[in-house]
Amino acid sequence: TTRHPRHDVLTVDTSVAHGERTGVLKRLVPEWLKSAELSPFVISYDSAHKSHGGDGALYVMLRNKAPKGYKS
């Protein structure tokens, strides 16, 4: 298996409007992570375990540095 040097990130959506969670980050962060600007740095992402925020949070695995040949 190939191991990727990585940084793990946990994002938690605390967006609240009128007393209800809106899930703004939960909806938009995956789109942002798939964007042409960020996708070269993203190894993977997934919903967090219940103890880490469940559906209101995401685990994101990022590369330590830009992939070979990446041009900013």
Side-chain angles (χ1 to χ4, degrees), residues 24-63:
V24 171
L25 293 176
K26 179 70 174 180
R27 286 193 321 271
L28 297 179
V29 168
E31 291 178 30
W32 184 52
L33 295 173
K34 289 187 251 181
S35 71
E37 296 86 8
L38 290 180
S39 63
F41 299 94
V42 178
I43 297 170
S44 67
Y45 61 91
D46 202 358
S47 293
H49 185 272
K50 185 178 176 181
S51 65
H52 293 147
D55 289 338
L58 290 172
Y59 296 127
V60 181
M61 286 188 273
L62 301 172
R63 297 182 194 287

Side-chain angles (χ1 to χ4, degrees), residues 5-26:
R6 69 181 202 216
H7 289 285
D8 297 335
V9 178
L10 174 66
T11 65
V12 180
D13 190 350
T14 58
S15 304
V16 177
H18 308 293
E20 293 183 24
R21 294 187 80 169
T22 61
V24 171
L25 293 176
K26 179 70 174 180

